[in-house]
Amino acid sequence: MKRIALSTLLMIAVLGFASPAWTGNELLQAEPALQAQVGWNLEPSGMLAVGYDLNHNGRPDFFTVRVVLDKYITAEPMKTVARYNPGHPVSRVDYGAEGFYYIAARYPLFYAVDVNEDGAWDVLYKDVLEDGVNGNEELYDSPSGWVAALPVS
Ligand SMILES: [Ca+2]
Ligand SMILES: [Ca+2]
Ligand SMILES: [Ca+2]
């Protein structure tokens, strides 16, 4: 009897420890200014990931991931393309004298945290309404397996 009580207590302790950390969005924060980015990358999915180094140790730890709305090659400079697309992040890859431009959605669809800064995302939040960080984001995945058990939603 005593043993049952103890294991129940343990389970409550474990649940109590695990759930507040992962049902909430403690690791999620609003996207910093795009100018503060340390780099960007096109994901295999075709989405645009922007990295940030929030603790300033030279390694990115926070990422935003956006749907790419448009891409094209033009000789127009970055400044001009950005002016055509106000409010949208614009990325450029040099393509000879021209530029290959990616026009991304205004707000991210995903926010990723690389807690141990090893390059593999540990926690992925989804903001299905793409309306910025305002509390309606949901814990979506742990690509690295860092979060062993995601809460059942
Ligand atoms: Ca960092
Ligand atoms: Ca990681
Ligand atoms: Ca949101």
Side-chain angles (χ1 to χ4, degrees):
M1 194 61 199
K2 208 169 182 185
R3 187 169 292 178
I4 291 169
L6 190 69
S7 59
T8 308
L9 208 78
L10 256 174
M11 196 181 287
I12 290 167
V14 167
L15 284 174
F17 177 75
S19 48
W22 301 114
T23 52
N25 288 349
E26 283 85 352
L27 291 172
L28 181 61
Q29 66 142 59
E31 183 177 47
L34 276 167
Q35 291 77 8
Q37 67 178 270
V38 292
W40 61 273
N41 190 35
L42 272 185
E43 295 302 304
S45 62
M47 299 180 84
L48 178 82
V50 176
Y52 297 92
D53 178 18
L54 297 183
N55 58 2
H56 307 289
N57 66 352
R59 294 191 299 273
D61 40 66
F62 184 74
F63 299 83
T64 56
V65 186
R66 284 175 163 81
V67 174
V68 172
L69 301 178
D70 199 7
K71 49 189 174 186
Y72 50 82
I73 297 170
T74 174
E76 306 252 41
M78 180 75 160
K79 223 187 257 178
T80 309
V81 176
R83 203 164 53 225
Y84 290 156
N85 300 278
H88 292 266
V90 174
S91 300
R92 173 191 163 113
V93 176
D94 288 336
Y95 194 80
E98 299 180 307
F100 202 122
Y101 288 93
Y102 299 90
I103 316 301
R106 198 172 286 263
Y107 289 105
L109 177 60
F110 294 102
Y111 297 81
V113 184
D114 185 358
V115 178
N116 54 6
E117 303 179 313
D118 65 350
W121 294 346
D122 302 312
V123 188
L124 193 60
Y125 296 99
K126 186 171 189 178
D127 186 17
V128 73
L129 291 183
E130 294 179 59
D131 57 0
V133 174
N134 55 5
N136 60 359
E137 303 74 36
E138 287 190 348
L139 181 57
Y140 180 73
D141 196 5
S142 178
S144 69
W146 189 78
V147 182
L150 291 173
V152 182
S153 54

